[in-house]
Structures are given as structure tokens and as C-alpha cells.
Amino acid sequence: MNGEERKLSTEKPDVKPNQTVDQEELEAIMAKYDRESATRSFIGTGKGRKVKLLRWELTLNRWTVAGLVLGLICLVFSIVQLYAAFTARIPATQLRPLHLGFVMVLAFLLYPATKKMKRVNTLPWYDVALAALAMACCLYIALQHVELAMRSGKYNTMDIAVGIVLTLLLAETCRRVVGLPILIIATVFVLYAFFGRYLPGFLAHRGFNLTRVVSHLVFTTEGIMGTPLGASATFIFLFVLFGAFLETTHVGQFFIDLANAVAGHRRGGPAKVAVLASALEGTVSGSSVANTVGSGSFTIPMMKNLGYRPEFAGAVEAAASTGGQIMPPVMGAAAFLMAESVGISYSEIAKAAIIPAILYFAGIWIIVELEARKYGLKGLPKEQMPVLKKIFLERGYLIIPLIVIIGFLAANFTPIFAALVGIAAAAFCGMIRRIHAFMVLRKYAGINEKNVTENYADEGKTLKEALLKTVGDILKSLVTGAKSVIGVAIACGMAGIVVGMITLTGLGLKMGNGLVEIAGGRQLLTLLLTMIASIILGMGVPTTANYLITSTIMAPAVIAVMGWSNTDTYMVLTAHMFTFYFGIVADITPPVALAAMAGSAIAKSSPMRTGFNAVKLAIAAFLIPYMFVYNPEMLMIDAHWYNILRIAVTAIIGMFGIGAALEGYYSRHAHLLQRLLFLAGGLLLVDPGLLTDIIGIALVVLTAAWQELENKRFGGRMEPCANYYAGMSLGKRVVTVLTESFVMIGRLITGKSASA
């Protein structure tokens, strides 16, 4: 391989394990690829009246006052939600509109009308007016919920006017916060309700007037105020708040240090750190882009510094971060919506997701390992990595909230109760962190320990200050949680529009049957079409809305073609998981691929190349859904432990075979025939049948042994050449690789040596 074309890690790299991307650059990336991060900020001008609050001195002017008012609204929002969860005294018909009202107020106050508008120290009067109007509409519904129920079917003019205004305001907040894709989809469904009578074939229906559509959308539990928003107003909010409390305790850095201690020194260490850290972070975060930027700011520069290609480094982080959405125990907000939609407990959802999630990350890990082998990439020096024992001794308590929440969920407590206990545990751990920092500072008081004092400088130099900062952390978490739920709640409201129009027109069953007809009743073709449709519907859409759209529109097709019953909750769960997986991987599938775009921005690589590398890394996500559709035992449905073990082992071997085929490498450069054998063996192992498993394992093992025999006969690994086929036409490439394959076979048989 040409050393000028590609620098392998035979030389000691200039490792900078603490290197990260500039914070301002990260914020710009988040604002560009994650609409929910492009919010206004009120930082003041430094001029104004100085006021002392507890131990903090504030400079009050119009913008700092605006920021304080906004923070107060967030606090009230969080307190109302916690009160509702603790006491259960607010009925759903009041809580849902109140929840939506607070969310829409914050959306109008935080998000400018266009991306190009100024976001610092600006708040147009019309956004304040729109926020007030949105809250007035929601209060109208909340305060008159009994009267509205009594008027069901006989709504007055004011009711319909409020419904129309609320729907339009929700659409505007969706445009600002979530983006156009889900708004366009919802608009199409509303238009379908009005004009469906003019459509041909199975799509036609009798049509509905304005009053019928608006009343169904706003004043029933099958529209905007339906199950999705109900889930957002209860346990989704609490788990988002739980994530905010964990963020305040710096658990994200703890996960990164933990991953570094475990895998940082191993072959291809930084990439494996990215996989582990993203899997851990994904358990408490609901955004692929946020996960990518959060841990990618640390891992991507490390990967590049060690010798990984920029597009591969960005792709590893994007693929791993996207997988966090399917990683138990939390899995993001969509898992809770799935529990509500399917009608089973959340613990069953988490249990069903365990094996697919493990296989997903195993697939990424395998390709990362093969890439490191292929290019000779080493790990970081072990002496520069954190010590696992020291991490657990100093910060091991930070994982207590996760253990608590997993334990309560496993014990079949409700998600609401588990989240409340988890929030309390996170707040307690935050206090421990502050007190621990105070004790460290006190221990080294007067001693020249520069690193210690720098690391703990802002943690509080006295016990009183540490406790005050703990209170500040709790208030900050309440504010952050309220802001973080905005995008989820608005997406749930818009998804309610889609669901409402589907239930009103009966479109769900029609689309499922129609797709089966288009595919001619063939199962595999129907599943392929469903996969493509789910990926397209999921492009550019946040996880929560993504699941709601794909499961509502596409899951009926899976149920219909597989011959399952809509009353069998576990089969419905399988169909929902199938569409959910493909909706999720839309975040790394070009041309949109928001998570891959964010990763490429950090890695300074080609967005499209990063996207295609991410697809290669996440190939498991494109295969696993077919595996559990044809064999639901993978989701631990009516499964014996030995069948689960067999499925998991054969699937991992299959991931290895497919990974070796895609990378073109196992222990040496694989020629075409070997790649085809690896691929065939891997694909056969996707099918859960005993015969296909035996043949698949035989092909993978024999091909790996073939490579090892070549190494033994020919004297070591053959270095790959990245540009070996550059400039060749397609026909010449095919002839070259076929010739190479047969020449290698001939040399192996004759025992003649072969040069690299």
C-alpha cells in the first residue's frame, strides 16, 4: 500500500485524548442539523440594575428579565407536571391541553419564525401574542372539558373557532420546531379527509365537512389530544426530565471516561469508545443528532488523530448514536409511545428490544474491528486512559439513577413511578457530586494541586455554597427538562392529527391492504416496500414523530401480509418494531441522514460519504427487522432460553460474515470469491432455520480459515490498497477481481508464494 496515499498507524500517532471540538462550533452544528437546538437566548448587554439573589449578583435589563420570565414559565411547567404525576389529581382531559399550552407558549417564545432571524436578545411582539393566544385556546379546552364532553356532536361556533385556531397554531409551532416533513404529511392527511371522496379505488371515502374534521381533531381523544400527547404529558415528560437531571450530574462525561477505560487502549480504541459511549448515552437521550454531537465532539477527533478516515470516523459516531434510540432501558420517548399504542407494559418493550439492540451494536463493533485490522490502527496508550477502578470509586455513584430506574421497571412498577424515583435519585447524586467536590477542595486546601483545583473550581468552596449550587442544579434541570420536551410534545400533537385523520377515514387498513395488493401478496416484497416507505417517512423527522408516523401508516401492511391478527398484541409489537427500526435508520440514510450530516460536520468530511459509511456500519439495522419478523422469538416472544441463545449466537456470526464482506477484510485482504462467501454465509444466518444456520456457519468459518491458511502459506497479511482499482472501468474491475480470485486459489492449491 502506498504510504503517501494513506498513513497507517505503524508510527506512533500524535495522540491527544482530551481533544474536543470547540463549543461554539458544536452549537452551530446542533442548530443546523437539530432544529430543536436553534433557540433564542437572552443574555443581556451587561448594563442595567444590579440585584443580589442569594449568593448570585444579577444585572437586570429587558433581556435578562425576559430570560428570567422564560425560566419561570419552564419552572411552573415542570412543577405542574410533577404535581400531576405525584397526585394524579389532574384528569387527562385537562392535563393534555395544559401540557400542549405550555409547550406552544415556549415554542413561540424560544423559536424564531425563520432560521435566518436573529436569535440573541430578540423577542418580536407577535410571538408573545401568538404564545398568549395558544395558551388561551388550550385553557378554553382545559377549563371547559366537562361542558365540551356534554356538547359532544353539538359544538357551537366558539368551539369550532377555537379548534381551528389551535390547529393552525400547532402547525406553525411544528414548522418552527420540528420541521416541514411531518407538517406536510399531516396537511396531506387533513386534505384527504376533505377531498377523499374524489379519489379513485380503495382510497375513496364519503368525505367530511369542516366541523366534523375540527371536532374530531381537537375535542376527542383520537386527534391532537389523543394517545401520543397523553404519553408526552405523563411519562415522556418525566423521562425527559430524568435525562435533564442526569445531564446536570455530568453523567455523559462519566460514560465517555468509562468507555475509554474499557476500550480506549484496544485496537481501534477511539471508535470502540464511540460505540460504547453512544450506547450508554442513548439510554437517556432521545435524539440521534444530540447523541452524535454530544459524544462525537470527543470521539471523532480522537479517531481522526489515530488514523481513521474522516468519513469513517463521523459515520461510526452517527451509526452508534442512532442505535441509542433502540437501546434499553430507556430507548428514547418512542418506546413509551409504543407501549401505549400496542397496549403492553414498557418492561415488555424493553425486553423485546434487548437482543436486536445487542446485535445492532455488535454489527458496528465488528466492522470497526475489521477496519482497524485492515489499516493497522492501534489503540491509545493505556497510561493515558482513565483507570476503571478509579472511575467507579470516584464517580460510580452517578450510575445509581439508571440502576434504580431499571430496577423499578423490571419490578413492574409503572413508568411514571419509576421515572419519579429516578429523578429523586438523580437529584440526590447531584448533591453527592457537589459535596464530594467540596471535600476534595478542602482536602487539597493550601496544597499546590493545580489539576484538582482547576477541575473543581466551580463546584463550591464551602459546604453552604455547594448546597446552594445543588439547588441551582435542580432548578436548572427543571428548566432544561421543560425546554427539552417541546419538540417531542409538538411532534406528538402533529402525529395526533395524522392518527385522527386515519381513524376518521379508515385509511390505515386501506393502506395496509393496498400495499399488500401492490406487492401481489408476496411477503418479502411487501416488507421491502414497507422498509423503503418507513425510511422515506422517517427522513428529517425526530424519533418520536418518526415512530408515530411509520407505525400508524406502515405497520398495518406488515400485519396484513404476515397474516397476523390485530388483536394479538405481541404480533402488533413485532410489526411496530419493524417499522420503527427503519424509521430510526433514516437518520443515517442518505440523502437526508441528519445524524450522519452532524457527524460529517465534526469530522470535516463529505456528508454523502459519511452517510454511506454509516449505512455500511449499521447494516445490522437493515437485516435484524427481517429476522424478528420471520422469527419473533428474537423479541423474546414465546421463546425458550436455548432458542434465544442460538438465535443470538448465529446472528452475531452472521453480522461478522456480512461485516467481513463489506470491509473486504478479515485477517488479510479478501478477494471477490471470499467476499461473496462471507456475504452468502452471513445472509443465510439471517434466516433462523436450522439448515440455513448450519450452511451459513460453515461458509463463514471455512472462509475465515481459508484466509488464515493463506496467511500461513504466503507469509503474513496482505496489505490492502485503497486505490488499486482507481481509474478502471466497471468491466475491467470485474475481470480483475475474478482473475485475482482464481489466481489466489491456484496459488493456495499449488503452495506457491504470493507477494502482497
Side-chain angles (χ1 to χ4, degrees), residues 711-732:
N711 282 336
K712 187 176 180 180
R713 285 283 186 92
F714 302 150
R717 68 194 289 271
M718 183 176 69
E719 297 289 354
C721 181
N723 295 321
Y724 185 77
Y725 302 112
M728 291 186 183
S729 64
L730 178 61
K732 190 171 182 180

Side-chain angles (χ1 to χ4, degrees), residues 420-724:
L420 289 173
V421 176
I423 289 170
F428 178 71
C429 287
M431 182 177 68
I432 293 176
R433 186 178 72 86
R434 291 290 188 185
I435 294 174
H436 172 255
F438 158 72
M439 293 174 67
V440 171
L441 283 172
R442 186 175 180 179
K443 179 180 178 181
Y444 289 101
I447 302 175
N448 185 20
E449 287 283 345
K450 184 179 178 183
N451 289 338
V452 172
T453 54
E454 282 182 357
N455 290 336
Y456 294 100
D458 64 337
E459 302 291 354
K461 296 181 180 179
T462 66
L463 183 58
K464 183 179 178 181
E465 187 177 349
L467 293 175
L468 283 173
K469 284 182 176 289
T470 300
V471 174
D473 288 342
I474 292 173
L475 295 177
K476 179 183 176 183
S477 299
L478 292 172
V479 171
T480 302
K483 290 180 179 178
S484 300
V485 84
I486 295 173
V488 175
I490 289 174
C492 286
M494 292 302 295
I497 294 178
V498 176
V499 174
M501 295 300 92
I502 287 176
T503 57
L504 183 65
T505 61
L507 181 62
L509 186 58
K510 293 178 181 179
M511 289 194 68
N513 292 333
L515 191 60
V516 173
E517 283 183 24
I518 292 171
R522 292 186 287 273
Q523 284 186 351
L524 184 58
L525 182 56
T526 303
L527 293 176
L528 284 170
L529 292 175
T530 304
M531 175 189 76
I532 294 168
S534 297
I535 291 173
I536 293 172
L537 289 170
M539 286 183 175
V541 179
T543 303
T544 311
N546 184 328
Y547 163 69
L548 290 167
I549 292 170
T550 54
S551 63
T552 303
I553 299 174
M554 304 312 304
V558 179
I559 294 170
V561 77
M562 298 304 295
W564 296 335
S565 169
N566 283 302
T567 59
D568 188 334
T569 53
Y570 289 103
M571 294 300 98
V572 174
L573 168 63
T574 304
H576 280 232
M577 289 282 284
F578 182 87
T579 58
F580 176 54
Y581 258 70
F582 291 120
I584 287 296
V585 298
D587 278 345
I588 54 171
T589 305
V592 179
L594 292 182
M597 298 293 180
S600 73
I602 298 173
K604 303 292 189 297
S605 62
S606 163
M608 292 301 288
R609 287 183 180 179
T610 304
F612 285 119
N613 272 277
V615 169
K616 179 179 76 173
L617 282 157
I619 189 65
F622 293 88
L623 298 174
I624 291 169
Y626 291 95
M627 296 171 72
F628 61 64
V629 162
Y630 284 111
N631 188 7
E633 284 186 321
M634 182 178 284
L635 301 182
M636 299 194 193
I637 296 173
D638 296 328
H640 297 289
W641 68 268
Y642 48 84
N643 282 333
I644 294 172
L645 182 62
R646 179 181 65 83
I647 291 167
V649 170
T650 55
I652 289 174
I653 297 172
M655 293 300 108
F656 168 78
I658 292 169
L662 292 174
E663 276 294 313
Y665 200 87
Y666 164 57
S667 61
R668 62 189 285 115
H669 179 54
H671 46 75
L672 180 64
L673 185 56
Q674 289 177 344
R675 294 179 76 163
L676 290 175
L677 291 173
F678 272 131
L679 181 62
L683 291 176
L684 282 170
L685 287 166
V686 170
D687 189 316
L690 180 62
L691 180 60
T692 54
D693 282 351
I694 293 172
I695 297 173
I697 290 174
L699 287 175
V700 171
V701 171
L702 288 174
T703 311
W706 182 358
Q707 286 221 320
E708 293 294 347
L709 184 58
E710 285 184 342
N711 282 336
K712 187 176 180 180
R713 285 283 186 92
F714 302 150
R717 68 194 289 271
M718 183 176 69
E719 297 289 354
C721 181
N723 295 321
Y724 185 77

